[in-house]
Amino acid sequence: MQTTLRGVGVSHGVAIGEVRHMGTAVLEPPAKQIPAEEAEREQGRARQAVEAVAADLMARGNLAGGEAQAVLEAQAMMAQDPELMADVERRIAVGSTSERAVYDAFAAYRELLAGAGEYLAGRVADLDDVRNRIVARLLGVPMPGVPDSDEPYVLVARDLAPADTALLDPTLVLGFVTEEGGPTSHSAILARALGVPAVVALPGAGELAEGTMVAVDGSSGEIFVDPSAEERARLEAAAAERRAALSGATGPGATSDGHKVPLLANVGGPADVPAAVEAGAEGVGLFRTEFLFLDDSKSAPSEEKQVEAYRKVLEAFPESRVVVRVLDAGADKPLDFLTPADEPNPALGVRGLRSLLDHPDVLRGQLTALAKAAEGLPVYLEVMAPMVADRTDAKAFADACREAGLVAKFGAMVEIPSAALRARSILQEVEFLSLGTNDLAQYTFAADRQVGAVSRLQDPWQPALLDLVALSAEGAKAEGKSCGVCGEAAADPLLACVLTGLGVTSLSMGAASIPYVRATLAKYTLAQCERAAGAARAADSADEARAAAQAVLSGE
């Protein structure tokens, strides 16, 4: 008998195949004592293992490229954290083996983060993965990971570390299902980049027996266990219909009655450009520049290195809009030379623009490099600041851009509720807004964007979040300026229609989602989108909002 489970769909498409489970976690090392004379040797072993794991993560990042590279480089920095290493060496000095010292030091750090409720608590899966890799190396055992299989399968895991997700082979891994995670977790973002159907935050996912046939709908979040022949046929037909719709939808983004909605790409560096171009992106709505700064947490990259990387992206989009976000450091992306090391809650501290205003030389260097990269290119460069809270922030950023001689539009990201509430005030200083719905949801609902237990509050369909989007769009319209969305909400085709109805003027997403959004938008008029937006805002929950919008657009 078929059973239907429901999690959170985070990557479109349908996958039908047998369950294969992720390898089990590394076992806890025994707590045995070592003689004092062996401490120095054990400390050396620990250091070597840490460096080897960090190098492996960097190598995986280089191989994966794009957004995955930035994620894995951040994980490598986590492995090399000097405070963690100092704790490991201290534990060895009082008698622990190297593997036990690593296990206990990471456990203490993990408990500290989770208990404090910090933004970094959302990186617990990443932290566990680093610990497991180091311990496995010290024990001389293979690191558990993606199962070895010659036949395609659906991967099931408690959670997936970025190092595993980044290198999934889409020809073998038809889709994946995790018990933890949320719609904006690293694994979800990388799944969308790979184009692999995925469902996260599914309670009891680990109880699915090895070899069980399942059908995964990455759009609805449904998992059909032992689906009937009829259900499989229905899902396969629906998937075929989607593929046909995708192939038939080309050109610029627009509603069926011709209302233009530019569809832009989110990119993490030059490696993401080919996929964006192939998907027909009309430009770049979010160029994350962190990847350049994560190579070396001790100092900013040289101007020459920045100019080279920026120019590669700008050259790929002649006569198009390219929106660059200046460095968003802090919280889960700490940089030794930029962010405080002793903040009790980094997500609410000196992050994003706040860090840059405290280090004007870093901001000036990035803005100068962008100005040089754009020289002589037929591109419409726009530069925006992350974590803008009010008009004072916006003015400080615009002044810095002008002082650097940057010929571009200056904008502000709306990630803090205060920015949405005071959008018109902020737009007295800058020329456009861009909504980062991932962080906006986190700060609106006090719900860490990486914690599966609060994924309900991270759902971009939450009516309160839609209200803030509407406020921002209305403010921008009143000032005659643009307001786009560059958060993951834009990658949901149905929600893209609602965002359009709310007055959003452009949508930016991972390249793999662009065809889905283009095809869906082309089915509805602007008036239908506006009615769907009104119905969604009138609801009291994310599920009700989604259902109300769907009912309007399907003519029910």
Side-chain angles (χ1 to χ4, degrees), residues 15 74 78 158 189 208 228 313 336 379 382 393 460 475 484 526 538 546:
M78 187 182 286
R158 185 185 64 81
I189 292 171
L208 291 169
S228 64
V313 175
D336 293 345
V379 66
E382 302 185 13
D393 280 351
L526 176 59
R546 185 184 292 106

Side-chain angles (χ1 to χ4, degrees), residues 314-338:
L314 296 174
E315 287 175 336
F317 294 95
E319 305 297 336
S320 299
R321 179 186 182 199
V322 176
V323 184
V324 180
R325 181 180 70 189
V326 294
L327 176 63
D328 183 15
D332 66 321
K333 293 169 284 191
L335 295 172
D336 293 345
F337 69 92
L338 198 66

Side-chain angles (χ1 to χ4, degrees), residues 333-411:
K333 293 169 284 191
L335 295 172
D336 293 345
F337 69 92
L338 198 66
T339 50
D342 57 351
E343 289 187 302
N345 194 335
L348 302 180
V350 183
R351 177 190 170 191
L353 179 61
R354 300 167 187 176
S355 295
L356 294 174
L357 293 178
D358 280 353
H359 297 81
D361 54 323
V362 176
L363 176 58
R364 188 181 310 111
Q366 188 170 21
L367 295 174
T368 300
L370 282 166
K372 291 184 177 181
E375 284 180 1
L377 294 181
V379 66
Y380 300 106
L381 176 63
E382 302 185 13
V383 182
M384 62 184 180
M387 299 297 290
V388 171
D390 57 15
R391 183 173 179 173
T392 300
D393 280 351
K395 183 179 187 304
F397 177 66
D399 287 346
C401 289
R402 282 188 282 267
E403 289 169 9
L406 190 62
V407 180
K409 285 187 176 182
F410 316 140

Side-chain angles (χ1 to χ4, degrees), residues 74-348:
Q75 211 179 1
M77 289 169 55
M78 187 182 286
Q80 296 171 304
D81 184 279
E83 292 185 13
L84 264 174
M85 195 62 231
D87 190 18
V88 169
E89 294 188 344
R90 181 187 63 79
R91 292 171 186 273
I92 293 173
V94 296
S96 283
T97 62
S98 55
E99 53 267 27
R100 185 70 205 191
V102 167
Y103 186 90
D104 288 341
F106 272 77
Y109 191 38
R110 185 186 200 277
E111 183 177 355
L112 174 68
L113 295 179
E118 300 175 356
Y119 184 83
L120 278 174
R123 296 295 183 261
V124 163
D126 299 11
L127 186 70
D128 288 348
D129 182 61
V130 172
R131 177 204 64 202
N132 289 347
R133 290 176 188 279
I134 297 171
V135 171
R137 184 170 287 272
L138 288 166
L139 290 174
V141 300
M143 174 64 196
V146 177
D148 185 17
S149 175
D150 295 329
E151 296 296 325
Y153 58 91
V154 172
L155 181 62
V156 175
R158 185 185 64 81
D159 205 345
L160 284 172
D164 296 314
T165 314
L167 298 182
L168 289 179
D169 181 352
T171 63
L172 283 176
V173 181
L174 302 171
F176 67 75
V177 180
T178 66
E179 192 162 342
E180 299 292 330
T184 58
S185 66
H186 278 156
S187 291
I189 292 171
L190 294 177
R192 286 188 284 270
L194 287 167
V196 176
V199 172
V200 301
L202 178 71
E207 298 173 12
L208 291 169
E210 188 85 2
T212 301
M213 180 63 68
V214 295
V216 178
D217 189 330
S219 299
S220 68
E222 292 174 301
I223 308 294
F224 303 94
V225 182
D226 291 323
S228 64
E230 292 79 7
E231 185 61 33
R232 292 179 62 171
R234 184 190 70 78
L235 288 168
E236 288 168 349
E241 184 179 335
R242 288 176 190 168
R243 288 192 295 270
L246 294 181
S247 62
T250 58
T255 58
S256 62
D257 56 340
H259 175 72
K260 293 182 179 179
V261 188
L263 303 181
L264 312 173
N266 294 345
V267 303
D272 289 340
V273 167
V277 172
E278 184 179 353
E282 298 170 59
V284 173
L286 173 62
F287 178 8
R288 303 180 180 93
T289 56
E290 288 76 43
F291 79 104
L292 278 169
F293 292 79
L294 292 172
D295 285 343
D296 180 3
S297 67
K298 306 296 183 184
S299 62
S302 67
E303 182 179 287
E304 293 75 17
K305 183 176 181 180
Q306 290 190 59
V307 170
E308 180 184 6
Y310 301 150
R311 196 169 179 89
K312 285 179 181 177
V313 175
L314 296 174
E315 287 175 336
F317 294 95
E319 305 297 336
S320 299
R321 179 186 182 199
V322 176
V323 184
V324 180
R325 181 180 70 189
V326 294
L327 176 63
D328 183 15
D332 66 321
K333 293 169 284 191
L335 295 172
D336 293 345
F337 69 92
L338 198 66
T339 50
D342 57 351
E343 289 187 302
N345 194 335
L348 302 180

